[in-house]
Amino acid sequence: MGLTKQYLRYVASAVFGVIGGQKANITYVTLRGGERGRYVAVAACEHVFIWDVRKGEKVLILQGQKHEVTFLCPSPDGVHIAVGYEDGAVRIFSLLNGESNVSFNGHKSAVSIMHYDALGARLVTGSKDTDVIVWDIINECGLYRLRGHKDVITQALFLKDKNLLVTCSKDSFVKWWDLDTQHCFKTMVGHRSEVWGMVLLNKENRLLTGSADSELRAWDISYLEQVRKDTVDRFVLGNDSVLELFTVLSEEEVHKKMTKKLKKAKKKAAKGSLHRCAHRSLTPHLCPLSPLRWVDCLSCAGGELKVVLLLQNNTIETYSLKTSDKTPVANKTARLTLGGHRTDVRTLAFSSDNLAVLSASGDTVKVWNRSTLQVIRTMACEYALCSLFVPGDRQIILGTKSGKLQIFELGSGSLLETVDAHDGAVWSLCLAPDQRGIISGSADKTVKFWEFELVKDKETVQKRLTVKHTRTLQLEEDVLCVKFSPDHRLLAVSLLDCTVKIFYTDTLKFFLSLYGHKLPVLCLDISHDSTLIATGSADRNVKIWGLDFGDCHRSMFAHDDSIMFLQFVPKTHLFFTAGKDKKIKQWDADKFEHIQTLEGHHREVWCLAISPNGDHLVSSSHDKSLRLWERTREPIILEEERELEREAEFEESMAKGDAPVVPGETQGEAAPAGKKTVETVKAAERIMEALELYKEETRKMEEHKYACENAGKEPSRYVLDVIKKVRSSELEVSLLVLPFPYVPELLKLFNSYIQQGLEVELVCRCLFFLLKIHFGQISSNQMLLSVIDELRTNTLSKVGEIRDVMGFNSAALQFLQQEIESKEDVMFFADATGRLQEKKKKRRKRERAVLTIA
């Protein structure tokens, strides 16, 4: 038996370089009782970062799984934060330890809005699937789904004093829902375009809505009459780069301002007419340098308003202003920029000692410490397309879009020299194998050879590094990529005409032409032994060629979009490819096999770099993130890898299948909240297996041929344990998937559980749901009538007992509270802090009065 080639798995190690993701909003949070307005939560791809804006540090990471974060909503108590994802899932995280124990699955597409009620007991979510779902946070289950909108839900708000919900959507409608009956009783149709947001004002007596027509509309809310539009309140918003803050005045302030305005108007020309929004006050504009993406405001003590902005260039800015001032001035208090680039990173490079990572974008180049992921140096540069470390790792060289070579000194973080190298963009740089120089390939159809030199600086009189042009290779097409063979014998050049030309390095004579790609070759690399060359093209194929005769060993369909980068793992015939399909793949150039796929990026992957020892891989993407991947000691078995991929595809297709239909239910405005997922199907299968096992064990025990191995544990208890392990948010959908032949046996078990007082609340929840969805079949089954009758009697009596116990306990706790308060003068529960402070203030006043009299 021949030896099997062993591959080692690469796994995700860290995400860095992203300050705030563009898909999700930014929001203020309170962390461990800290100062209000100090911490903000932002999405970072599939994770959530908590930033301390005062220190500019990342203090907590809420770990995601696979899908990108699309919305954040902190709970009213400040202890939890709800996170919505692109696949429609919602997870509740604790801000104390960063863990998530509650998750909801109900939407079919990305969550677009979330909002808690005043107590934090309910959560409403809206999605791109046009549905609105109300969730019970305490019971960890979905209450109902509300249908009626025809486009993405953009806002949803609970009313504090009434059990009502108001929602708005891109379909231009605002809908009012009665949550007691779960139906829409009012649709507001006054908008001409998409409604992007709304807010309740003046103790929920006025609704302010903003739409795509650049106008704000104010609506008076009357619960006796129909909702009517206020015809005098209309404001004009600024453009995308300006945030305008409006102050809503009280009626007395409005009257005073109107009186002053009228007096001034009478003194002026009689022809002028009063502006319609004269009775509203406008605070100063906030004009950040980059277009705005998201904003959040926080009202603090002393009339201070804190504003945090998430900009489109991966930047967070905070402002503070005093609303009580006559002319408020917005002061910038913080700006987070150090931890990421403003534009996409287009080039990456590893240092020779594997410890430093270079990343360059359209305006800056940064050097990172690989182990700590902290920025070591940040230097301004031109639009960089390619880069490398100079031998010794003390300098770096960038090739720019303007055709220049920029040389930087890392020790001082300064630009040493800018060389006008080409007349077109420098697409590729390659270090010579003898480490004495570099070559550059450009869109001006030339490949130029450069040698390192040390020259005296005119200002410091010290020697510094420069490059000297020695030779030029003129070609007929634009050069996209250049690469030396490690033995320094050959030079590979990819051209815009879809071919790769091979030249002798010493004489620059033509050797081979590799043709076969249908679109230009965007990337290529040569193996360490100079025997193989791999090319990646915009035609989505990878071709492996021999450098002896230029024969194509294999052509493989590698990605679903253009292949942007390709590199061999040092001292192996394994190589990685990165594509616009958001994936990074590893291949074997000898066996022509796909080894593994690294998934994590949510946008196009632009480039990657492999460390010289092959243990680390870093990649950059259009999602502004840099990802570090690490090689483990875990071996990969290709057959198992393919089997896992097939299982993942099957589970995904199964979850995307038709939702289970509740028997007897019409497709109205209200529907069940949950949806069928892989977890709910597996939970239903576990319940079925437990029932089958219960039947078998019961039959054996009746035949007296079986001695129970687990003494003291009845088979019926096992079924209850399996039901208890099902997530509360997935319980109803799991029971909905359960076939009806299992229901009669389950009802009999429920009867015995209730008689014994085992998990009465959970059992009743399951019982009522099964009776609801299978009412017709249960009521028509004569064998189940006696069981249902027993269930009715036992359920009423047992629930009554539990209610009496809870009432007794509640009364006892209230009595104990009163006793302790009367003895020790201590207040408990929600109003404790406020009432204590009031008592302290009264005591201080009394002490001052006594001192004054004395």
Side-chain angles (χ1 to χ4, degrees), residues 310-455:
L310 177 61
L311 309 184
Q312 291 185 9
N313 64 351
N314 197 28
T315 303
I316 294 175
E317 291 183 355
T318 59
Y319 293 83
S320 175
L321 64 153
K322 289 281 187 179
T323 55
S324 56
D325 294 347
K326 196 168 186 180
T327 56
V329 178
N331 299 313
K332 186 185 292 186
T333 55
R335 190 168 189 258
L336 303 183
T337 59
L338 185 63
H341 289 272
R342 309 285 72 75
T343 57
D344 291 0
V345 173
R346 302 309 296 259
T347 176
L348 294 164
F350 259 102
S351 62
S352 60
D353 58 3
N354 309 289
L355 296 179
V357 178
L358 180 155
S359 62
S361 65
D363 55 355
T364 56
V365 54
K366 291 178 181 286
V367 179
W368 309 76
N369 184 314
R370 179 190 54 78
S371 57
T372 63
L373 302 180
Q374 297 298 316
V375 179
I376 302 172
R377 285 284 182 269
T378 299
M379 297 160 283
C381 67
E382 296 188 16
Y383 198 116
L385 297 176
C386 50
S387 63
L388 54 82
F389 276 91
V390 176
D393 298 334
R394 295 184 179 181
Q395 298 89 13
I396 59 173
I397 300 179
L398 302 182
T400 68
K401 196 173 183 180
S402 60
K404 298 175 182 178
L405 295 180
Q406 291 190 309
I407 306 173
F408 291 88
E409 176 75 37
L410 293 184
S412 60
S414 60
L415 176 64
L416 295 180
E417 186 180 4
T418 298
V419 180
D420 293 325
H422 294 272
D423 296 329
V426 181
W427 289 110
S428 181
L429 289 175
C430 182
L431 182 67
D434 60 6
Q435 298 190 346
R436 294 182 178 179
I438 60 172
I439 55 171
S440 59
S442 169
D444 64 1
K445 304 178 184 180
T446 61
V447 175
K448 291 188 177 182
F449 292 72
W450 308 83
E451 287 184 355
F452 296 132
E453 274 191 348
L454 290 175
V455 297

Side-chain angles (χ1 to χ4, degrees), residues 131-143:
D131 289 347
V132 176
I133 300 180
V134 180
W135 307 91
D136 186 341
I137 300 296
I138 298 173
N139 200 26
E140 299 180 11
C141 66
L143 296 177

